[in-house]
Amino acid sequence: MTAVVELMDYADVIERFDPVLGLEVHVELNTNTKMFCGCANEFGGEPNTKVCPTCLGLPGSLPVVNGKAVEGAIRIGLALNCEIAEWCRFARKNYFYPDMPKNFQTSQYDEPIAFNGYLDVTLDDGEVVRVEIERAHMEEDTGKSLHVGGATGRIHGAEHSLLDYNRAGVPLIEIVTKPIEHTGDRAPEVARAYVSALRDLLRALDVSDVRMDQGSLRCDANVSLMAKDATEFGTRTETKNVNSLRSVERAVRYEMTRQAAILAEGGSIKQETRHFQEADGTTSSGRTKETAEDYRYFPEPDLVPIAPTREWVEELRKTLPEMPSERRKRIQSEWNLTDEALRDLLNVGAVDLVAATVEAGATPDEARSWWVNTLAQEANSREIELAELAITPAQLAEVIALVNAGELTNKLAKEVVQGVLAGEGSPSEVVEKRGLKVVSDDSALIAAVDEALAAQPDVAEKIRGGKVAAAGAIVGAVMKATKGQADAKRVRELIVERVGA
């Protein structure tokens, strides 16, 4: 039987406690090969087919640092306004876990490649919060465990476990914030907005595909509470591997209400890792959280230190693209958007999608209307991010072009979009398969108009008498007869012509 967890009302949490956050985001880099060997860095594939003695940790194998991964780490650090170390090195983080074939993770401990940075984050109402970055360091990813049997997919209750080492050794950058304080009731929103802004930044740098659904971007959310009169941070929990923006917000909010209820009853918070449950938005206990001493860090003896020259760092700085915040300001000016309209775009994650649709030939207003209204509703109903919808900006631009060419009505265009989302092919293919093209043949339209006029002679007489507004009834009849595939404007013109009004 599942234990009932007491929660405190959120308003009461905020009245009695101050939340403190710490966010650790792991980013898989999109290099061609893994961090310390030449195996392919690709998502998926048959289990244990992208492995070698090095990433399997076999005796006698030696690592070699991936230069492109180091370059990516420096570019991330620069984009986050970090200092770049003149000298740093790797360390061994020792712990036994089945999907760590070496029984240690090659990481960076007290000498990260980037440190002391910040990222300015815009909240839903336009308020800007500066999140300070403690460090961004290089490491390698683990393999994956598949627990077979049982109800939860976790090891508890499983009959046996399977291990896939394809992901072991994939280049990771871990970005760790400094404690995020003084956010009050907006703490969950700040967490979501930070991960969203970081994802946008990494996508702009083109260092990762930032697919949260595939684990190439995942967040560990540390949460603790301080009583209003306290001077020291409370004990934190770490909710591991949260893999969507919505879930980051939900996990932080839940932990705040759970911890507050415990503290209010005089209990204490256990420092532990926790698992987020997507189904109901709760967290469950994982394992007691280790300290740095438990990992027995020591310098990696098989790798030389990394010492990027200042000249190389400055060369990499020149490769940085236009930052998302700067791009938004430019787009707002070019598209003549109000602050409210820009916030609408940001809130649904549509800025890049609209921009790409414009680049494919649509106008900003057309693209914005589709993404912010029609497609945002689709994403909400499916409980996914807007960018995860199965339609590309180029495909939407094609739909818009068909409307502008008079080949689709707005109603038919929505049917075409539904077909694309359902995987029926490109917009043109959906139009062909579903027979959705606008009826533009005047002879077919005239026949439908004449039939509708004959069926409603009283309406025809009103139109003939000068009451042109009455034509709406005939237009409706023709649209019904043509299954919505007639051009309503042309139908109205033909009605007026046929009655001689």
Side-chain angles (χ1 to χ4, degrees):
M1 179 180 291
T2 303
V4 176
V5 178
E6 294 294 332
L7 303 177
M8 181 181 287
D9 181 77
Y10 192 70
D12 292 338
V13 176
I14 300 307
E15 184 177 342
R16 298 181 59 171
F17 299 98
D18 289 322
V20 179
L21 308 180
L23 302 172
E24 303 170 14
V25 175
H26 294 79
V27 186
E28 286 185 352
L29 300 184
N30 57 6
T31 54
N32 292 326
T33 56
K34 292 184 180 181
M35 188 72 202
F36 301 113
C37 67
C39 292
N41 175 19
E42 299 170 344
F43 178 79
E46 288 296 313
N48 299 309
T49 56
K50 298 167 186 174
V51 294
C52 71
T54 298
C55 57
L56 288 177
L58 299 182
S61 60
L62 291 173
V64 177
V65 174
N66 185 327
K68 291 297 289 185
V70 176
E71 179 181 305
I74 294 173
R75 294 179 73 238
I76 290 172
L78 292 171
L80 290 172
N81 305 291
C82 289
E83 299 176 48
I84 305 300
E86 296 188 14
W87 189 95
C88 63
R89 57 183 172 179
F90 288 97
R92 290 188 179 185
K93 181 180 182 181
N94 295 274
Y95 63 100
F96 174 77
Y97 209 66
D99 56 14
M100 283 292 296
K102 298 182 296 188
N103 288 338
F104 66 85
Q105 180 187 36
T106 305
S107 181
Q108 291 188 305
Y109 173 43
D110 55 346
E111 299 163 310
I113 193 165
F115 53 93
N116 287 343
Y118 65 87
L119 180 62
D120 287 332
V121 175
T122 303
L123 304 186
D124 291 349
D125 63 356
E127 179 184 345
V128 176
V129 174
R130 174 161 293 187
V131 175
E132 295 188 333
I133 307 297
E134 176 74 34
R135 56 192 281 146
H137 65 260
M138 299 179 287
E139 58 187 25
E140 60 182 335
D141 213 341
T142 62
K144 289 184 178 180
S145 300
L146 176 64
H147 305 298
V148 182
T152 65
R154 301 194 183 278
I155 195 168
H156 301 292
E159 297 173 359
H160 61 276
S161 297
L162 302 174
L163 297 173
D164 178 8
Y165 290 120
N166 281 348
R167 196 178 69 179
V170 165
L172 270 186
I173 305 298
E174 181 176 352
I175 302 166
V176 182
T177 70
K178 294 181 180 179
I180 305 171
E181 304 177 67
H182 313 303
T183 55
D185 64 338
R186 307 194 75 173
E189 181 188 351
V190 169
R192 172 180 55 80
Y194 166 74
V195 178
S196 177
L198 186 57
R199 185 182 65 172
D200 290 345
L201 180 70
L202 296 165
R203 186 184 287 120
L205 290 170
D206 194 26
V207 293
S208 172
D209 64 10
V210 292
R211 288 282 301 271
M212 297 188 79
D213 59 316
Q214 293 183 356
S216 54
L217 179 72
R218 48 195 194 266
C219 176
D220 297 343
N222 294 270
V223 179
S224 66
L225 296 177
M226 297 173 63
K228 289 292 186 179
D229 57 352
T231 57
E232 295 183 0
F233 293 158
T235 302
R236 64 184 171 86
T237 62
E238 180 181 8
T239 304
K240 300 286 289 185
N241 297 328
V242 187
N243 62 1
S244 78
L245 299 179
R246 179 171 176 262
S247 295
V248 169
E249 185 169 11
R250 293 171 76 202
V252 170
R253 187 182 181 96
Y254 180 83
E255 270 302 288
M256 289 171 63
T257 57
R258 186 190 69 86
Q259 292 183 24
I262 294 172
L263 294 172
E265 291 295 321
S268 59
I269 304 302
K270 181 167 66 172
Q271 184 167 318
E272 62 180 353
T273 63
R274 297 185 67 84
H275 302 295
F276 181 70
Q277 312 299 330
E278 292 281 353
D280 58 8
T282 64
T283 66
S284 59
S285 182
R287 67 177 192 274
T288 300
K289 180 60 179 172
E290 299 89 345
T291 63
E293 289 75 16
D294 294 324
Y295 290 124
R296 305 188 321 280
Y297 283 99
F298 66 86
E300 167 58 72
D302 293 332
L303 291 170
V304 297
I306 306 294
T309 65
R310 298 303 90 180
E311 291 77 15
W312 185 37
V313 171
E314 291 309 310
E315 286 175 8
L316 291 177
R317 191 189 301 276
K318 294 176 183 176
T319 70
L320 297 182
E322 182 182 31
M323 292 295 103
S325 58
E326 298 168 354
R327 184 165 179 254
R328 285 193 290 269
K329 291 178 184 176
R330 175 178 58 79
I331 284 174
Q332 182 175 14
S333 175
E334 291 179 354
W335 296 353
N336 195 29
L337 298 178
T338 63
D339 290 343
E340 183 180 5
L342 180 62
R343 281 200 298 273
D344 287 343
L345 286 177
L346 293 172
N347 291 346
V348 297
V351 173
D352 289 339
L353 295 167
V354 171
T357 308
V358 171
E359 290 172 6
T363 68
D365 286 344
E366 291 168 336
R368 187 161 56 90
S369 176
W370 274 97
W371 285 112
V372 173
N373 298 318
T374 305
L375 291 169
Q377 291 175 10
E378 283 289 335
N380 285 338
S381 66
R382 299 170 189 229
E383 296 188 345
I384 60 175
E385 300 295 327
L386 190 59
E388 295 174 31
L389 285 174
I391 186 169
T392 67
Q395 289 172 328
L396 180 59
E398 183 181 346
V399 173
I400 293 170
L402 290 172
V403 173
N404 291 338
E407 297 182 29
L408 290 177
T409 63
N410 286 327
K411 182 179 179 181
L412 292 175
K414 290 180 179 179
E415 286 192 52
V416 173
V417 167
Q418 289 297 326
V420 175
L421 292 173
E424 296 175 19
S426 69
S428 298
E429 290 170 337
V430 173
V431 169
E432 185 67 27
K433 290 176 183 176
R434 294 194 178 191
L436 296 177
K437 208 165 188 177
V438 165
V439 177
S440 55
D441 178 6
D442 270 7
S443 61
L445 291 179
I446 289 171
V449 167
D450 287 348
E451 184 176 340
L453 288 170
Q456 301 184 62
D458 55 332
V459 176
E461 193 59 37
K462 288 180 182 178
I463 299 171
R464 193 172 290 109
K467 295 182 179 180
V468 180
I474 305 299
V475 172
V478 172
M479 296 302 288
K480 183 177 181 181
T482 59
K483 298 180 180 179
Q485 292 176 239
D487 181 340
K489 182 180 178 182
R490 182 56 183 155
V491 170
R492 187 176 292 274
E493 292 172 351
L494 289 174
I495 292 169
V496 174
E497 290 177 13
R498 301 302 284 177
V499 299

